[in-house]
Amino acid sequence: MNLTLKIWRQKNAKTKGKFVTYKIKNVSEDSSFLEMLDQLNEQLISENQDSVAFDKCPVAFDHDCREGICGMCGLYINGRPHGPDLGITTCQLHMRKFKDGDTIVIEPWRAKPFPLIKDLVVDRSSFDKIIQAGGFVSINTGSAQDANAILISKKNADLSMDAAACIGCGACVATCKNASAMLFVAAKVSQFALLPQGKVEAVERVKNMISTMDELGFGNCTNTYACEVECPKLISVTNIARLNREFIHAKVIAEKERQISGGF
Amino acid sequence: MTKLDAKIPEGPLHNKWSFYKSNCNLVSPANKKKFDIIVVGTGLAGASAAASLGELGYNVKAFCYQDSPRRAHSIAAQGGINAAKNYQNDGDSVYRLFYDTIKGGDYRAREGNVYRLAEVSNSIIDQCVAQGIPFARDYGGLLDNRSFGGAQVSRTFYARGQTGQQLLLGAYSSLSRQVAKGTVKLYPRQEMLNLVVADGKARGIITRNLITGEIEKHSAHAVILATGGYGNVFFLSTNAMGSNTSAIWQAYKKGAFFGNPCFTQIHPTCIPVHGEQQSKLTLMSESLRNDGRIWVPKNKEDADKLKNKTITANSIKEEDRDYYLERRYPAFGNLVPRDVASRAAKERCDAGFGVNNTGLAVYLDFENSLKKLGKHVIEERYGNLFQMYEKIVDVNPYENPMMIYPAVHYTMGGLWVDYNLMTTIPGCFSMGECNFSDHGANRLGASALMQGLADGYFVLPYTLGEYLSKELKTPKLSTDNNSFVESEKEVKTRIEKLMSIKGKHTVDHFHKLLGKIMWENCGMGRNEAGLVKGIELIKELKKEFWKDVKITGETTEFNTELEKADRLANYFELGELMMTDALNRKESCGGHFREEYQTQEGEALRDDENFTHVAAWEFSGEDKTAILNKENLEFKDIDLKQRNYK
């Protein structure tokens, strides 16, 4: 198939970007979306006459595993994170979802906490910072008890796994009109809230992760559920409800502790 | 020839590691703070080591080329992780896991290391559960297990089809905790391009900041490489696009020996190639072989009709299907080790019984299991894999059998290390897939995760202390030191040289050609003529590359073409060494199948008299033939037998 691509090009964070239109021919329906971009880049290199102009050089985009699990790829395609299919990452999107002659608009994730690096590449280290604030169980290597000493109901283990499936791609933030990271935070908080291992630090975890999320500039959740629709791992917004419950619980506990310790 | 000392502790096999731990030298908490440690790579091995070393009090710097440590390719491991817990009461033990691993590796791994691996496997599961990893459980709340190839017990722990993801995120969580505490500093989007050796010891690395293009110098008392495998030398593999050999290859060129480079694992169950634009291959977990049956048509006419799409798989009657693994290997059936399953698929396809329009595919069929267990059970076990298959191939695997074909997946070879996981360069360690040590000539399923975490959580934290205990008086090394300046210059010269070529063809153009040479001459079947020819072809292509590659853009910016070109430059050299090693190893063992050496039934025929050794290659200069050193493998606790899965 032959396609027209309108791609966001931007040399770096300091300069202004723009849409640049490219034509591409003979794209196989069986190619993945990223393989189509590979093909475009090969074409741009071949046509390049020793130019360093950023719109004549290959398009920069993040990708790595190309099997939908590393979370590195993420393109905003025709107004939707990871494109028109459901439950997949950009690397799993295939060209058979498009028609010959289509015009495809490709943009980076746009959110304040994800500053742009180049073209379609953004900096998502704010997600790492949220995890560093509390997305762990404090256990040092070597101090664990026997694995089967902790019994966990299959139901809770399964629900925990549903939440833990998050790949940290940032589609939830990109699609949210508020650039909220609630689904991302909810997934990690829920994973631990559902397991006995996570109980000890539950109060501190949820408070710290939420406050870090706020400090980093992510917006509030206004329950539009776009995040659930676009999540490549189909993580449910019921996790956000659980996050809210954990957060309120943490606040109540904190209030009680303040009262007991002689506060007013 | 250098005499290689593996430094295996004395004493009976089952006491070696506990003896080592009781007797190794330690570094006191106050002194740990004085040591800077560099860890390159943040997969299972790298992240678990960086986290554990941070907990111990060392100053750790963790590097990865991805945008976050959580992206490392360990994340893509699907099926599970082995441990000798014997929770299933089916006769498992540390010894049996050790035995299966040695046998699975076709008796080309080191006994001492493998026993230790089996021994610490149980602690890994304990550690991971304590971290809050949601492993699969049964209705009583206990951990569930599944079976994997090469074993007759169920010892594989799993988290749906995303075990690698969950284990990596567990290690990443522990790492993140240390980052918050300030014991570990992260350096994402940095690629190691050279190793700095001063006074014969590894003292730092040179990296390229992938955002700015700046070349950086980082100093330390020890450098730990955990950079994964080099399967991308074949261009098409199940590795991530960025997986590369650069770090270990530069270490090799600085004096680290390279062990068994030709030992490559071709995984039997991957989604077949679709066409010329294909950029990578996707694995379908080996765990699928628990419930899926592999077959091709019994009659060639049916195979031809399937190729022309005049009939479908479902229309072939049961009696006209050849379940060739069950036929050839009744004891293990569909669960034979990967090398055996891959070769059997190739044999059927070469004989003209392959399916798909290319004839290069076999069926993996769930019809029986779907009938017996019901769709909901299959969905629960493999739901995400079935979804992945459908998205890529556009065929519903609940209704039609999957089509699969072998693909490059894992490299057993890697930097030679001793029992301490130290390379032949003092202070330079190598863990996980990028070392050679534990899997011999073939790795069993669910053992890569086990090795990565064993090395990072439970082995290196001890063995590093043993090394550093002797380095207390070694001062920090300034990055202005001559060894840093020289190493930096090497990198800058190489980059300038690449950028100045301004040829006609893209990096991928050359990479695809190299991959083809490797696959045809150093893939599932190898022979002398092919290898000799292959080496010549690589040499020619390498020359062509250095004359005619075209890299656009600038060095001082985010430039993926430059990244790829530098990686490929290393792959040419590695590819040649792999072929040299394959040529030199005149026997078949595990994944290394020399067509000249096979039994009458077409099984791998080892030559224990002449090849019970590790081939450890030593760099001898640019464009010179590497020097072969041998570490003889001694088997005191296991009798060498021909592997038999019948």
Side-chain angles (χ1 to χ4, degrees):
Chain A
M1 56 175 93
N2 300 332
L3 301 161
T4 303
L5 306 173
K6 289 192 169 179
I7 303 180
W8 184 261
R9 302 301 310 262
Q10 187 169 338
K11 190 169 171 59
N12 54 42
K14 291 172 200 141
T15 53
K16 265 193 166 181
K18 61 176 182 184
F19 278 106
V20 180
T21 304
Y22 301 98
K23 297 266 185 200
I24 182 167
K25 285 179 184 164
N26 300 323
V27 177
S28 160
E29 289 194 343
D30 289 328
S31 281
S32 71
F33 196 82
L34 298 185
E35 284 164 356
M36 183 274 292
L37 285 181
D38 289 342
Q39 198 178 330
L40 173 73
N41 279 344
E42 290 292 288
Q43 182 184 318
L44 289 176
I45 298 167
S46 297
E47 290 167 358
N48 187 304
Q49 303 287 341
D50 211 13
S51 164
V52 291
F54 70 96
D55 56 342
K56 300 272 189 281
C57 286
V59 181
F61 60 94
D62 264 335
H63 64 103
D64 204 23
C65 79
R66 294 210 180 183
E67 48 188 281
I69 194 75
C70 75
M72 190 123 169
C73 68
L75 300 176
Y76 211 75
I77 301 161
N78 287 345
R80 293 184 64 181
H82 299 306
D85 204 353
L86 290 179
I88 54 157
T89 55
T90 304
C91 65
Q92 291 174 300
L93 177 64
H94 277 70
M95 295 313 293
R96 62 180 80 95
K97 293 282 167 191
F98 298 91
K99 291 191 303 289
D100 185 39
D102 275 359
T103 296
I104 306 175
V105 182
I106 310 169
E107 296 170 81
W109 282 176
R110 295 192 194 272
K112 199 175 117 208
F114 293 162
L116 192 132
I117 292 173
K118 182 179 181 180
D119 295 340
L120 305 170
V121 177
V122 297
D123 177 359
R124 285 166 292 190
S125 53
S126 48
F127 268 11
D128 289 325
K129 294 195 181 92
I130 292 176
I131 298 296
Q132 287 156 16
F136 48 76
V137 172
S138 293
I139 168 133
N140 279 2
T141 302
S143 44
Q145 59 185 324
D146 184 82
N148 255 351
I150 310 169
L151 292 180
I152 299 169
S153 72
K154 181 167 168 27
K155 188 181 152 209
N156 276 1
D158 285 348
L159 286 172
S160 175
M161 181 61 214
D162 288 344
C166 169
I167 58 173
C169 65
C172 48
V173 175
T175 193
C176 178
K177 60 179 180 171
N178 309 319
S180 169
M182 282 288 270
L183 192 64
F184 173 75
V185 176
K188 195 41 82 179
V189 166
S190 288
Q191 176 194 342
F192 291 134
L194 286 155
L195 301 174
Q197 299 94 307
K199 294 280 188 247
V200 177
E201 297 167 285
V203 168
E204 290 307 308
R205 175 179 304 114
V206 69
K207 281 198 300 186
N208 292 341
M209 288 179 76
I210 293 274
S211 65
T212 305
M213 174 185 90
D214 291 343
E215 283 160 22
L216 290 164
F218 290 100
N220 294 320
C221 174
T222 48
N223 299 308
T224 59
Y225 299 173
C227 52
E228 179 181 290
V229 175
E230 300 298 2
C231 174
K233 297 297 152 187
L234 305 170
I235 291 173
S236 161
V237 290
T238 54
N239 289 298
I240 295 183
R242 190 177 292 110
L243 170 68
N244 284 330
R245 195 166 68 222
E246 290 286 311
F247 188 66
I248 292 164
H249 175 74
K251 283 284 178 195
V252 172
I253 297 260
E255 179 64 20
K256 268 191 186 163
E257 276 175 359
R258 201 168 59 86
Q259 286 170 2
I260 291 165
S261 65
F264 51 89
Chain B
M1 199 191 295
T2 312
K3 176 140 177 47
L4 287 165
D5 180 6
K7 302 201 176 108
I8 307 286
E10 292 301 318
L13 195 56
H14 60 275
N15 281 342
K16 284 181 193 294
W17 182 232
S18 45
F19 177 81
Y20 181 101
K21 284 195 290 183
S22 314
N23 291 284
C24 66
N25 290 305
L26 301 174
V27 179
S28 75
N31 283 332
K32 285 194 182 97
K33 286 183 212 147
K34 295 177 189 161
F35 285 120
D36 297 327
I37 312 296
I38 284 173
V39 181
V40 187
T42 57
L44 287 180
S48 60
S52 303
L53 295 174
E55 288 161 11
L56 287 171
Y58 293 108
N59 300 314
V60 182
K61 291 175 166 188
F63 293 81
C64 62
Y65 70 80
Q66 300 92 341
D67 72 330
S68 161
R70 66 179 293 154
R71 315 274 187 223
H73 200 51
S74 304
I75 205 151
Q78 298 166 352
I81 177 165
N82 288 330
K85 284 283 194 186
N86 192 29
Y87 283 158
Q88 304 304 324
N89 194 30
D90 57 358
D92 202 5
S93 64
V94 168
Y95 185 84
R96 203 176 281 276
L97 174 54
F98 155 73
Y99 180 84
D100 286 347
T101 308
I102 290 276
K103 179 187 171 194
D106 218 353
Y107 307 94
R108 291 293 174 264
R110 202 188 272 153
E111 272 192 350
N113 286 52
V114 177
Y115 195 88
R116 175 177 66 188
L117 175 68
E119 206 177 334
V120 303
S121 67
N122 291 339
S123 306
I124 298 172
I125 304 303
D126 298 341
Q127 180 68 25
C128 291
V129 167
Q131 285 172 345
I133 290 173
F135 281 113
R137 289 177 182 268
D138 62 25
Y139 287 96
L142 297 167
L143 290 158
D144 194 20
N145 291 114
R146 54 167 62 143
S147 303
F148 253 66
Q152 287 173 312
V153 293
S154 285
R155 62 160 74 101
T156 305
F157 294 80
Y158 65 100
R160 292 196 190 138
Q162 291 128 285
T163 317
Q165 181 201 23
Q166 294 309 313
L167 297 179
L168 181 67
L169 293 183
Y172 161 75
S173 290
S174 294
L175 179 65
S176 297
R177 176 170 160 247
Q178 293 308 309
V179 173
K181 284 188 169 182
T183 59
V184 179
K185 188 161 166 24
L186 291 181
Y187 292 85
R189 293 198 196 265
Q190 291 262 356
E191 183 158 345
M192 169 177 161
L193 296 183
N194 211 348
L195 179 73
V196 178
V197 180
D199 295 331
K201 292 174 193 163
R203 294 303 307 273
I205 60 172
I206 308 293
T207 62
R208 181 168 181 270
N209 180 322
L210 300 182
I211 298 175
T212 62
E214 202 178 328
I215 304 298
E216 298 183 9
K217 298 178 279 190
H218 297 275
S219 169
H221 293 89
V223 175
I224 299 161
L225 304 180
T227 56
Y230 49 86
N232 274 348
V233 66
F234 289 86
F235 187 71
L236 286 182
S237 81
T238 64
N239 286 187
M241 299 301 285
S243 298
N244 66 78
T245 190
S246 298
I248 60 168
W249 192 252
Q250 293 307 323
Y252 164 72
K253 291 175 91 168
K254 285 283 165 89
F257 291 5
F258 207 115
N260 299 332
C262 79
F263 286 173
T264 314
Q265 178 163 81
I266 315 276
H267 196 293
T269 53
C270 300
I271 298 179
V273 174
H274 67 67
E276 277 302 304
Q277 289 306 322
Q278 185 115 18
S279 60
K280 76 152 273 163
L281 297 168
T282 303
L283 178 82
M284 288 283 106
S285 169
E286 175 165 322
S287 61
L288 293 167
R289 289 198 268 145
N290 270 292
D291 291 307
R293 298 175 72 198
I294 293 177
W295 64 275
V296 291
K298 250 183 206 163
N299 308 312
K300 263 193 195 161
E301 303 81 68
D302 285 343
D304 290 337
K305 283 182 199 158
L306 285 164
K307 278 174 216 160
N308 303 331
K309 295 192 174 164
T310 47
I311 57 168
T312 63
N314 290 336
S315 64
I316 297 179
K317 288 191 205 111
E318 185 64 23
E319 61 268 26
D320 292 330
R321 300 176 177 194
D322 176 15
Y323 297 93
Y324 56 89
L325 288 177
E326 297 170 27
R327 168 169 61 78
R328 286 178 66 180
Y329 308 100
F332 281 70
N334 291 295
L335 284 173
V336 290
R338 292 174 175 175
D339 56 334
V340 178
S342 290
R343 270 200 297 281
K346 180 178 188 292
E347 188 276 328
R348 282 293 81 192
C349 292
D350 288 352
F353 295 91
V355 296
N356 204 7
N357 51 4
T358 54
L360 293 175
V362 299
Y363 289 123
L364 175 61
D365 199 335
F366 292 86
E367 196 184 344
N368 279 16
S369 298
L370 282 163
K371 271 185 202 150
K372 199 169 87 189
L373 302 166
K375 192 180 169 189
H376 66 285
V377 176
I378 295 298
E379 210 164 1
E380 192 178 282
R381 286 185 190 164
Y382 315 111
N384 67 319
L385 299 172
F386 275 53
Q387 185 233 17
M388 197 195 289
Y389 183 87
E390 187 171 359
K391 292 289 177 193
I392 295 174
V393 186
D394 206 23
V395 170
N396 180 350
Y398 292 101
E399 285 160 17
N400 302 282
M402 285 183 181
M403 281 192 291
I404 51 161
Y405 195 68
V408 174
H409 179 55
Y410 187 90
T411 46
M412 283 74 70
L415 292 183
W416 184 92
V417 290
D418 62 15
Y419 194 71
N420 298 302
L421 302 182
M422 191 153 83
T423 67
T424 46
I425 303 173
C428 177
F429 294 77
S430 174
M431 303 187 299
E433 188 176 351
C434 77
N435 77 24
F436 88 103
S437 76
D438 292 354
H439 306 297
N442 173 58
R443 178 175 66 74
L444 289 182
S447 284
L449 303 185
M450 174 170 68
Q451 189 214 345
L453 291 181
D455 287 358
Y457 283 135
F458 297 109
V459 179
L460 193 100
Y462 291 88
T463 61
L464 180 69
E466 165 72 23
Y467 171 75
L468 291 174
S469 66
K470 299 178 185 83
E471 296 293 315
L472 285 169
K473 290 189 181 133
T474 309
K476 287 182 193 255
L477 187 65
S478 159
T479 52
D480 296 331
N481 181 285
N482 201 34
S483 52
F484 271 98
V485 177
E486 283 298 313
S487 298
E488 184 191 30
K489 209 171 119 194
E490 283 169 24
V491 168
K492 286 187 170 167
T493 312
R494 193 166 75 229
I495 289 176
E496 276 163 27
K497 198 174 159 195
L498 283 168
M499 293 301 291
S500 66
I501 299 169
K502 300 186 192 298
K504 284 192 296 294
H505 294 294
T506 63
V507 179
D508 280 1
H509 165 83
F510 287 104
H511 200 164
K512 283 180 185 177
L513 290 175
L514 174 66
K516 208 158 166 256
I517 297 173
M518 292 301 298
W519 181 247
E520 280 171 5
N521 301 294
C522 199
M524 268 189 284
R526 302 153 175 196
N527 59 56
E528 187 169 331
L531 291 163
V532 170
K533 191 181 93 189
I535 291 171
E536 287 311 309
L537 290 172
I538 291 180
K539 282 182 177 164
E540 279 168 37
L541 188 65
K542 183 177 145 190
K543 267 190 214 149
E544 199 63 24
F545 168 82
W546 281 103
K547 270 199 318 228
D548 203 21
V549 73
K550 182 175 185 180
I551 305 165
T552 49
E554 295 170 286
T555 49
T556 53
E557 65 171 347
F558 191 101
N559 189 338
T560 42
E561 287 303 307
L562 175 59
E563 289 168 32
K564 289 194 301 192
D566 190 65
R567 291 169 192 160
L568 182 58
N570 293 321
Y571 277 133
F572 282 119
E573 299 174 13
L574 168 72
E576 197 184 321
L577 186 68
M578 288 169 74
M579 292 223 193
T580 308
D581 185 40
L583 188 60
N584 185 71
R585 191 170 278 278
K586 294 184 171 58
E587 64 159 354
S588 292
C589 56
H592 171 63
F593 192 71
R594 280 286 297 265
E595 284 154 2
E596 304 95 317
Y597 309 100
Q598 52 181 305
T599 64
Q600 280 184 336
E601 293 103 24
E603 305 294 341
L605 185 64
R606 289 197 322 266
D607 176 356
D608 290 336
E609 203 173 312
N610 295 305
F611 289 97
T612 310
H613 65 246
V614 179
W617 296 88
E618 180 181 358
F619 182 68
S620 66
E622 299 286 346
D623 295 320
K624 286 191 184 149
T625 311
I627 300 164
L628 174 63
N629 299 280
K630 292 175 187 173
E631 178 203 341
N632 286 321
L633 294 168
E634 286 174 36
F635 291 91
K636 291 181 183 155
D637 283 74
I638 283 187
D639 292 334
L640 272 69
K641 292 183 196 154
Q642 199 207 327
R643 284 193 307 171
N644 182 0
Y645 293 99
K646 294 176 199 266

